[in-house]
Amino acid sequence: MTARSQHAEDEALMRAALSEACKGIGKTGANPAVGAVISKNDKILSRGWHRGEGEPHAEIEALRSLKNPKLAKGATLHVTLEPCSTHGLTPPCTAAIVEAGFARVVFGATDPNPKHAGRAVNILTSAGIQVLCGILAEECTLINRPWNKWIATGLPYVTAKAGMSLDGRITSPPDRRWITSQAARRDAMYLRAECGAILVGAETVRTDNPRLTIRGLRVKAQPLRVVWSRSGKIPSDCHLLTDEHRNLTLVYKATSLPKILEDLGKRGVQHVLIEGGGKTLGEALDRGLIDRIVFYIAPVLLGGPTPAIGGLGASNNASAPRLKNSSFCQIGPDLRVEGEVAYEPNFALAPDPLCGKLPSLTPT
């Protein structure tokens, strides 16, 4: 096999591993989503993916899925993330890989934890296993953006979500609560399922009385429901304080958004979904807290006083945050816009409103 054909085959097998990894997005707790495939003579023998914290890792799942454990000897393992080399809730995968007798290991992304990064390469090569890293590294990294940020900084990854009219308004007419279609709202449930917490401002609770739950999907656990409030007071009969998930509701009183995210990170939350309203999203953007946006835009012109994103806004066009790796698709009659937020070097972050420097952005 030529070097070019081997590279193409490695990419094809890594894409198969990525398909396995995607099954675990939003289900793995404090762990990353990882997929693996075992092959011999370019034929896939077994597949595996990490199903949750404390469960076997993807490599072990793939080994257990083999019809005969002896088939691993001389085989190739493709895995989306560098195999773990330390003992946590489960034994290190590097030990199992060496014991199984693999001839070759190919992984996509390097473990972002500096305590682990590169260790697997040394361990496996010392055991006589050929190791190749970096195949589809970008794709393998992207599926674990929240985990990567949380591991590196202790802070959760932040996705801003909004359903709005074509003119960027979230003010619904009196006779209609929903702006976007049922299809768009169902898609948003998959978005919620990726996250460990959903955050809204207190005014959203008072106006819409949202449930902030995942409905219509099978999930292991509901996300935390976070309310940002100046007074700490929300209606005592609202869903967040009275339904079966009321123990998952956190109300932060007179606390800045950065401090809230810091506390959520300490609680193990890797991914926070901010769902509004406009003042809350504006504050998050002004402070440079948003990593990614997912907007659902309905083909309707509503007008009205409430924009999807409020706040101070950019001081000029040159310093305005922009999207990278953006994508667009139609869901029912609505347009779904997604992308990572890229902040310009001269983007001026807003001062802390709770220090009295920016009273217009205090929580409601």
Side-chain angles (χ1 to χ4, degrees), residues 69-142:
K70 294 181 179 179
L71 290 172
K73 190 171 182 62
T76 297
L77 171 71
H78 284 75
V79 59
T80 55
L81 182 67
E82 177 181 358
C84 70
S85 53
T86 58
H87 200 300
L89 294 177
T90 59
C93 289
T94 49
I97 291 169
V98 171
E99 184 179 354
F102 283 101
R104 186 167 178 260
V105 172
V106 182
F107 66 85
T110 300
D111 192 324
N113 190 330
K115 295 181 180 179
H116 304 155
R119 286 194 61 192
V121 177
N122 295 331
I123 293 171
L124 297 179
T125 54
S126 296
I129 298 173
Q130 181 185 353
V131 179
L132 176 64
C133 56
I135 296 295
L136 300 184
E138 184 175 357
E139 291 93 328
C140 292
T141 299
L142 283 176

Side-chain angles (χ1 to χ4, degrees), residues 158 160 170 199-205 226-229 257 260 273-287 289-290 306-311 360-364:
V158 176
I170 58 174
L199 187 150
V200 297
E203 191 58 35
T204 295
V205 178
V226 180
V227 182
W228 181 45
S229 173
L257 283 181
I260 292 175
L273 182 65
I274 299 182
E275 291 202 3
K279 183 183 289 186
T280 301
L281 287 174
E283 163 77 351
L285 185 65
D286 282 340
R287 287 169 165 280
L289 301 177
I290 298 174
T306 311
I309 297 183
S360 62
L361 288 183
T362 49
T364 53

Side-chain angles (χ1 to χ4, degrees), residues 33-216:
V34 183
V37 296
I38 296 173
S39 65
K40 188 176 286 187
N41 300 323
D42 303 327
K43 179 183 178 181
I44 294 179
L45 304 179
S46 67
R47 305 168 186 258
W49 58 282
H50 181 47
R51 298 171 185 270
E53 195 171 359
E55 297 292 328
H57 290 185
E59 302 94 317
I60 308 305
E61 280 281 311
L63 278 168
R64 292 180 179 180
S65 297
L66 285 170
K67 292 182 179 179
N68 185 338
K70 294 181 179 179
L71 290 172
K73 190 171 182 62
T76 297
L77 171 71
H78 284 75
V79 59
T80 55
L81 182 67
E82 177 181 358
C84 70
S85 53
T86 58
H87 200 300
L89 294 177
T90 59
C93 289
T94 49
I97 291 169
V98 171
E99 184 179 354
F102 283 101
R104 186 167 178 260
V105 172
V106 182
F107 66 85
T110 300
D111 192 324
N113 190 330
K115 295 181 180 179
H116 304 155
R119 286 194 61 192
V121 177
N122 295 331
I123 293 171
L124 297 179
T125 54
S126 296
I129 298 173
Q130 181 185 353
V131 179
L132 176 64
C133 56
I135 296 295
L136 300 184
E138 184 175 357
E139 291 93 328
C140 292
T141 299
L142 283 176
I143 64 170
N144 284 312
R145 288 174 294 187
W147 183 75
N148 293 335
K149 180 181 178 181
W150 182 69
I151 285 291
T153 68
L155 297 173
Y157 186 85
V158 176
T159 295
K161 172 257 179 182
M164 68 184 77
S165 62
L166 191 59
D167 53 343
R169 293 296 189 268
I170 58 174
T171 309
S172 298
D175 61 339
R176 183 182 178 186
R177 176 180 174 183
W178 305 112
I179 296 173
T180 56
S181 65
Q182 184 176 358
R185 297 197 300 275
R186 177 167 175 78
D187 185 80
M189 287 296 164
Y190 289 98
L191 187 60
R192 284 182 175 182
E194 297 179 10
C195 302
I198 303 170
L199 187 150
V200 297
E203 191 58 35
T204 295
V205 178
R206 299 185 189 109
T207 303
D208 296 336
N209 191 19
R211 296 182 184 275
L212 305 184
T213 55
I214 302 168
R215 300 181 294 279

Side-chain angles (χ1 to χ4, degrees), residues 275-316:
E275 291 202 3
K279 183 183 289 186
T280 301
L281 287 174
E283 163 77 351
L285 185 65
D286 282 340
R287 287 169 165 280
L289 301 177
I290 298 174
D291 297 295
R292 167 193 178 214
I293 64 102
V294 180
F295 289 169
Y296 300 91
I297 304 172
V300 61
L301 300 169
L302 289 178
T306 311
I309 297 183
L312 292 178
S315 57
N316 55 68

